[in-house]
């Protein structure tokens, strides 16, 4: 990212020799800097108190559509037939003995009876009580005790913590391990909290080192970290408040940390670099802050809006997993921008020229003077000239490479988040892996059919026979009747969520029944989730596209540039999606990265990654386009404007991308596969966008479109002149207008 220099005429007023006027916003944020920083310190301390314990109140689910048939059926079964939805599994290992051995059976029955007496536990059943073959391993050495822990996620987690130590471990002739969905969620929450702490310990010092390398000054390098901490702590407090009103996913705190640090670095880097540049021209600190806020500050605000818009698109989806990222993302983006535009100018007012203090790079210069500002970015200018001379080659070649990298995504398979998100050594993952490999059918992963409405025994029997005739059905159990309701358990022949199981969901819903039948289970939840996302995906895409087109038009006044921005940003994400499928779905590099591939991608994750990565790509695109637009307004030379824009922004965009990628990679060290996928995938997308798309594809495409790039029809040109974003002088009415008219008439 980079700051946008004000054109020469914008650095002075219309009266020669008169210094620029200080705008109202500048006066507001610099009038009482100590009071502003003290208020921020107090508010941050309050945010720490308000946001304390937020992770304990966040949920580990949220992938299901709350309005779906499967969600309704699940809640009805939990209420009427709690034993039909076990979320706690005790894997009883008899060692070399058989689970039918009298001593083993006696001890296992005792454990089941003891579990049934626990507070908050219901629906206890076991192989030794029911004799159900699905609860006995095929080798005869393991069997299951199943139960349901009642209450919401937080209550269920507390109950699990209370009772699990009393069952885990050796009990005479058997050894017990604890698993099931409630254990998976609890382990996931615990691991995410631990991994987030480790990620912060990795990201903060590395980010500080990189900032020192970029700024030189240790004082300047500390400012972005301060902005990031304010944004993160403030967002945690907001999330804590939201948990009183709605469900929020525990995964959202990872995005809070990543965007809080990454965007704070971007915005502060942009503003501080511009402030230091103004000081180097001889401007007084207050004047330098005014110029910085009129130019870099406006672009920061504009950039924050574009990122927030991309993240807001996730609000159209019903799954609280996705909505949680919108809550966290919008909050942290706006807080980072607010801190950069309010607190940072106050700090710069107090620091003045001392912002350049403690230049640690002097140690490595060995007496050499730093390069003049005019020489900075010459390599980027030469690169832009080379790309523009061979524009067709670079445009076609870069596009072909990006498309090729994205081809694996054509083979994507969507699934659900399960125990394989956890490390292979985690207890609940081990339990479920034993069940997958050693037990017949899919115990705990079958389908349930809820029947509502009075029916006779003969009607139930006829319906059961029709289900059993379906080709993908292995066995049908039930019905278990209670009043006017009943339920059947259907075990598919294959895996719980593979393609045949998903087809079976549709077939079950089409079976003729004399009552109201609703299907739930893991595969049904997946089918309904895919349907909900597919139904709302066009709306989200249209929302992002229209608002992005409008915002970029307000920035540039061009009709073509917004279209280019949307297309090139989307193209920059192809490598990310291709890598996600090749690595995480197909399992390549699973040993190196330390995860278990489930053979699919969780349904909501591509939507999340697209919204986040697209917003970050727009972030960098805004910085580049702002500088190109400014230079074009000043000179009217299209090719020179593109070269100058890349010269002034190439290094800063790359530095910002590397710093953000470091933060995302730190998040990607998580032991939870979805978090690892999110961190590493977005890190790749950010680097590809900054180093490939912004450096090669954008200048090549803009060279091919030439001066037509800036064309707009008369009505839109006049709309932009009235409402568009201006990087001109302190008072828009005083700024010269010929360049604006030239923008609309060229091409």
């Amino acid at each position: 990212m980079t700051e946008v220099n004000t054109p020469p005429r914008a650095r002075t007023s219309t009266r020669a020799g008169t210094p620029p006027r200080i705008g109202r916003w500048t006066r507001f944020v610099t009038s009482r800097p100590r009071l502003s920083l003290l208020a921020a310190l107090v508010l941050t301390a309050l945010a720490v108190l308000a946001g304390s314990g937020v992770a304990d109140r966040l949920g580990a689910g949220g992938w299901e559509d709350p309005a779906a048939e499967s969600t309704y059926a699940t809640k009805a079964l939990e209420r009427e037939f709690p034993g039909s939805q076990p979320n706690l599994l005790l894997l009883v290992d008899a060692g070399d003995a058989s689970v039918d051995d009298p001593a083993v059976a006696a001890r296992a029955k005792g454990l089941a009876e003891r579990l049934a007496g626990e507070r908050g536990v219901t629906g206890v059943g076991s192989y030794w009580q029911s004799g159900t073959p699905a609860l006995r391993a095929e080798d005869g050495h393991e069997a299951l005790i199943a139960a349901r822990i009642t209450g919401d996620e937080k209550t269920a987690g507390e109950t699990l913590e209370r009772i699990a130590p009393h069952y885990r471990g050796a009990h005479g002739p058997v050894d017990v391990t604890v698993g099931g969905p409630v254990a998976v969620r609890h382990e996931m929450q615990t691991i995410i909290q631990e991994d987030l702490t480790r990620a912060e310990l990795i990201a903060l010092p590395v980010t500080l080192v990189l900032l020192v390398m970029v700024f030189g000054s240790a004082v300047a390098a500390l400012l972005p970290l301060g902005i990031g901490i304010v944004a993160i702590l403030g967002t945690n407090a907001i999330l804590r408040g939201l948990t009183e009103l709605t469900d929020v996913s525990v995964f959202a705190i990872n995005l809070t940390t990543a965007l809080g640090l990454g965007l704070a670095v971007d915005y502060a880097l942009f503003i501080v670099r511009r402030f230091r540049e103004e000081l180097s021209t001889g401007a007084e600190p207050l004047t330098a802050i005014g110029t910085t806020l009129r130019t870099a500050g406006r672009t920061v605000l504009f950039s924050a809006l574009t990122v927030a818009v991309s993240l807001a698109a996730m609000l159209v989806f019903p799954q609280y997993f996705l909505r949680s990222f919108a809550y966290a993302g919008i909050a942290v983006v706006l807080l980072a921008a607010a801190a950069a535009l309010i607190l940072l100018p106050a700090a710069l007012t107090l620091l003045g020229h001392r912002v350049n203090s403690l230049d640690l790079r002097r140690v490595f210069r060995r007496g050499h003077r730093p390069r003049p500002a005019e020489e900075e970015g010459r390599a980027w200018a030469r690169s832009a000239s080379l790309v523009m001379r061979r524009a067709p080659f670079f445009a076609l070649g870069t596009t072909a490479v990006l498309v090729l990298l994205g081809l694996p995504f054509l083979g994507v398979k969507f699934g659900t988040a399960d125990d394989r998100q956890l490390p292979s050594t985690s207890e609940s993952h081990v339990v479920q892996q034993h069940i997958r490999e050693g037990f017949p059918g899919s115990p705990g992963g079958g389908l349930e059919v809820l029947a509502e409405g009075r029916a006779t025994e003969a009607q139930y029997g006829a319906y059961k026979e029709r289900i059993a005739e379906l080709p993908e059905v292995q066995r049908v159990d039930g019905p278990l009747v209670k009043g006017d309701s009943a339920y059947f358990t259907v075990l598919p022949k294959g895996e719980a969520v593979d393609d045949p199981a998903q087809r079976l969901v549709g077939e079950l819903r089409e079976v003729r029944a004399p009552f109201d039948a609703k299907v739930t289970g893991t595969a049904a939840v997946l089918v309904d989730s895919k349907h909900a996302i597919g139904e709302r995906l066009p709306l989200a895409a249209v929302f992002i596209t229209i608002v992005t087109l409008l915002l970029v038009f307000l920035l540039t006044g061009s009709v073509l540039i917004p279209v280019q921005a949307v297309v090139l940003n989307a193209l920059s994400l192809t490598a990310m999606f291709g890598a996600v499928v090749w690595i995480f779905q197909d399992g390549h590099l699973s040993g190196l990265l330390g995860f278990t591939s489930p053979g699919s991608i969780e349904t909501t994750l591509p939507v999340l990654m697209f919204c986040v990565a697209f917003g970050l790509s727009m972030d960098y695109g805004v910085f580049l386009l702002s500088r190109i637009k400014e230079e074009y307004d000043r000179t009217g030379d299209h090719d020179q404007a593109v070269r100058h824009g890349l010269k002034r922004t190439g290094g800063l965009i790359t530095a910002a991308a590397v710093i953000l990628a470091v933060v995302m990679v730190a998040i990607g060290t998580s032991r939870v596969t979805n978090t690892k996928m999110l961190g590493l995938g977005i890190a790749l997308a950010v680097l590809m966008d900054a180093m490939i798309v912004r450096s090669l594809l954008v200048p090549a495409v803009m060279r091919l479109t030439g001066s037509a790039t800036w064309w707009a029809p008369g009505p839109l040109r006049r709309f932009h002149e009235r409402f568009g974003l201006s990087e001109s002088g302190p008072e828009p009415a005083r700024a010269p207008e010929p360049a604006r008219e030239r923008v609309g008439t060229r091409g």
Side-chain angles (χ1 to χ4, degrees):
M1 184 185 66
T2 185
E3 67 274 19
V4 178
N5 281 334
T6 309
R9 62 167 171 264
R11 292 190 180 178
T12 60
S13 75
T14 54
R15 299 174 185 175
T18 303
R21 293 174 56 188
I22 303 300
R24 287 189 297 271
W25 182 254
T26 302
R27 294 185 184 279
F28 172 73
V29 297
T30 60
S31 59
R32 293 181 176 85
R34 289 183 176 83
L35 180 60
S36 297
L37 294 177
L38 179 61
L41 182 62
V42 172
L43 290 175
T44 303
L46 293 175
V48 171
L49 296 176
S52 61
V54 61
D56 295 330
R57 300 184 60 86
L58 303 179
W63 293 283
E64 68 279 355
D65 176 5
E69 174 183 318
S70 58
T71 305
Y72 171 84
T74 297
K75 292 181 178 179
L77 287 171
E78 289 176 1
R79 183 177 61 252
E80 301 295 334
F81 305 97
S84 68
Q85 298 278 304
N87 58 8
L88 175 66
L89 298 175
L90 301 184
L91 179 66
V92 180
D93 186 353
D96 295 332
S98 168
V99 293
D100 296 314
D101 183 274
V104 171
R107 182 53 63 95
K109 288 179 182 178
L111 288 172
E113 292 170 0
R114 179 177 157 195
L115 182 62
E118 297 282 0
R119 177 168 45 88
V121 178
T122 187
V124 177
S126 71
Y127 163 72
W128 296 273
Q129 294 167 314
S130 66
T132 304
L135 298 179
R136 181 182 185 274
E138 294 175 340
D139 64 6
H141 298 300
E142 294 176 330
L144 293 171
I145 299 173
R148 179 161 194 86
I149 298 180
T150 58
D152 56 21
E153 286 185 13
K154 184 176 185 297
T155 303
E158 292 172 349
T159 302
L160 179 70
E161 285 185 338
R162 175 171 51 85
I163 67 174
H166 302 296
Y167 294 89
R168 179 184 296 118
H171 295 268
V174 301
D175 192 76
V176 178
T177 47
V178 180
V182 68
V184 170
R185 287 196 298 267
H186 185 69
E187 277 199 89
M188 197 173 292
Q189 285 180 305
T190 302
I191 290 175
I192 285 176
Q193 292 179 47
E194 295 172 352
D195 290 348
L196 184 61
T197 300
R198 187 182 68 250
E200 290 171 344
L201 293 176
I202 294 172
L204 285 172
V206 175
T207 299
L208 181 59
V209 170
L210 292 174
L211 287 171
V212 169
M213 294 173 62
V214 173
F215 284 122
S217 164
V219 173
L222 288 171
L223 295 175
L225 288 184
I227 299 300
I229 291 172
V230 168
I232 292 170
L233 295 177
T235 302
N236 285 341
I238 291 174
L239 292 180
R240 174 63 179 81
L242 286 173
T243 60
E244 300 292 338
L245 306 174
T246 186
D247 293 320
V248 181
S249 172
V250 69
F251 289 94
I253 60 176
N254 292 287
L255 187 68
T256 297
T257 298
L259 290 186
L261 281 177
L263 291 178
V265 166
D266 283 2
Y267 299 155
L269 177 65
F270 192 33
I271 289 176
V272 173
R273 281 291 294 266
R274 182 55 186 263
F275 176 71
R276 296 174 76 188
E277 181 181 323
E278 292 299 318
L279 290 181
S280 69
T281 65
E284 291 299 318
L286 187 59
T287 303
I289 291 174
T291 303
T292 298
L293 290 178
R294 284 196 309 274
T295 55
R298 289 180 181 182
T299 305
V300 163
L301 179 60
F302 188 86
S303 173
L305 291 176
T306 60
V307 178
V309 163
S310 296
L311 297 172
M314 287 184 283
L315 291 174
V316 307
F317 298 98
Q319 293 92 338
Y320 85 74
F321 175 80
L322 286 176
R323 298 174 70 89
S324 300
F325 284 96
Y327 304 147
I330 293 172
V332 76
V333 168
L334 296 183
L335 285 175
L341 296 176
I342 299 174
L343 302 183
L344 193 54
L348 294 175
T349 300
L350 295 177
L351 289 171
H353 289 278
R354 288 174 294 179
V355 73
N356 297 315
S357 300
L358 300 179
D359 189 349
L360 303 181
R361 293 184 300 189
R362 292 177 181 174
V363 178
F364 305 99
R365 288 186 187 136
R366 298 180 181 179
H368 295 290
R369 297 178 61 186
R371 290 182 302 170
E374 298 79 17
E375 296 183 9
E376 293 185 4
R378 283 188 175 179
W380 288 101
R382 289 194 296 268
S383 172
S385 297
L386 173 63
V387 170
M388 294 172 72
R389 284 197 302 270
R390 303 286 188 270
F393 170 79
F394 281 100
L396 294 176
T398 304
T399 301
V401 169
L402 292 174
V403 171
L404 182 64
L405 292 175
L407 287 180
F409 191 72
L410 297 177
V412 65
K413 297 178 182 178
F414 294 109
T416 58
D418 57 21
D419 61 284
R420 285 169 288 191
Q421 294 286 318
L422 297 170
S424 59
T425 56
S426 70
E427 184 180 21
S428 57
H429 178 94
V430 170
V431 170
Q432 198 62 39
Q433 194 65 25
H434 276 249
I435 293 173
R436 268 191 296 269
E437 295 176 351
F439 285 71
S442 303
L447 296 169
E448 288 83 29
V449 180
L450 172 68
E452 293 183 311
R454 187 172 297 276
T456 65
E457 184 176 342
Q459 288 175 319
Y460 284 136
Y463 180 71
K464 180 176 180 179
E465 290 178 0
R466 286 193 287 271
I467 292 177
E469 293 172 356
L470 297 175
E472 300 298 338
V473 172
Q474 176 176 297
R475 192 179 74 251
V476 184
D477 295 329
L480 183 62
V481 182
K482 182 180 179 182
D484 291 343
S485 300
Y487 84 91
F488 301 82
T489 300
V490 182
L491 292 181
K493 290 182 178 178
E495 289 286 337
V497 292
D498 60 8
D499 290 340
Q502 294 179 54
R503 288 196 299 270
L504 178 58
V505 172
E507 294 169 356
L508 286 172
R509 288 172 173 172
E510 293 175 358
V511 172
R512 181 170 48 86
F515 38 71
D516 186 13
K518 291 181 172 60
V519 182
T520 187
T522 307
V525 171
L526 174 59
V527 168
D528 291 340
S529 179
K530 289 167 64 175
H531 173 74
I533 289 176
E535 188 177 54
R536 292 165 176 80
L537 193 59
L539 177 61
V542 168
F543 173 77
I544 289 177
T545 301
I546 291 178
V547 179
T548 300
L549 290 174
L550 176 61
L551 290 174
V552 178
F553 171 77
L554 291 176
L555 175 69
T556 64
S558 162
V559 171
L560 184 58
I561 288 180
V563 177
Q564 289 179 353
V566 171
V567 173
L568 297 186
N569 283 351
L571 188 61
S572 71
L573 307 184
T574 54
M576 175 186 71
F577 285 124
V580 161
V581 170
W582 189 79
I583 295 174
F584 291 96
Q585 175 182 295
D586 300 341
H588 299 101
L589 307 182
S590 59
L592 177 64
L593 297 178
F595 68 91
T596 300
S597 172
S600 61
I601 302 297
E602 201 282 315
T603 313
T604 59
L605 207 61
V607 177
L608 166 64
M609 296 179 73
F610 174 83
C611 291
V612 174
F614 187 89
L616 293 175
S617 296
M618 281 303 306
D619 188 40
Y620 298 136
V622 164
F623 302 139
L624 176 58
L625 290 174
S626 296
R627 180 54 65 92
I628 293 175
K629 172 69 163 56
E630 177 186 346
E631 183 67 9
Y632 183 76
D633 283 349
R634 188 178 71 86
T635 66
D637 187 330
H638 173 73
D639 290 354
Q640 171 60 25
V642 175
R643 281 191 294 270
H644 180 80
L646 199 59
K647 173 183 177 181
R648 302 301 297 168
T649 66
L652 286 178
I653 287 178
T654 302
V658 168
I659 292 172
L660 181 56
V662 165
V663 177
M664 296 308 303
V665 168
I667 297 295
T669 62
S670 172
R671 292 165 290 170
V672 176
T673 303
N674 266 1
T675 306
K676 187 187 298 290
M677 191 185 310
L678 177 67
L680 298 182
I682 293 180
L684 176 62
V686 165
L687 293 176
M688 292 294 293
D689 181 77
M691 297 182 178
I692 303 298
V693 174
R694 304 297 154 201
S695 302
L696 301 177
L697 195 54
V698 169
V701 170
M702 294 191 78
R703 176 66 180 86
L704 292 175
T705 54
S707 58
T709 302
W710 305 99
W711 177 82
L716 289 180
R717 184 172 67 251
R718 288 188 291 273
F719 178 86
H720 178 263
E721 289 172 352
R722 183 173 181 181
F723 300 105
L725 178 71
S726 171
E727 295 285 355
S728 58
E731 297 291 339
R734 294 157 50 112
E737 292 296 330
R740 287 175 177 254
E741 297 172 358
R742 183 167 60 244
V743 169
T745 56
R746 284 185 170 267

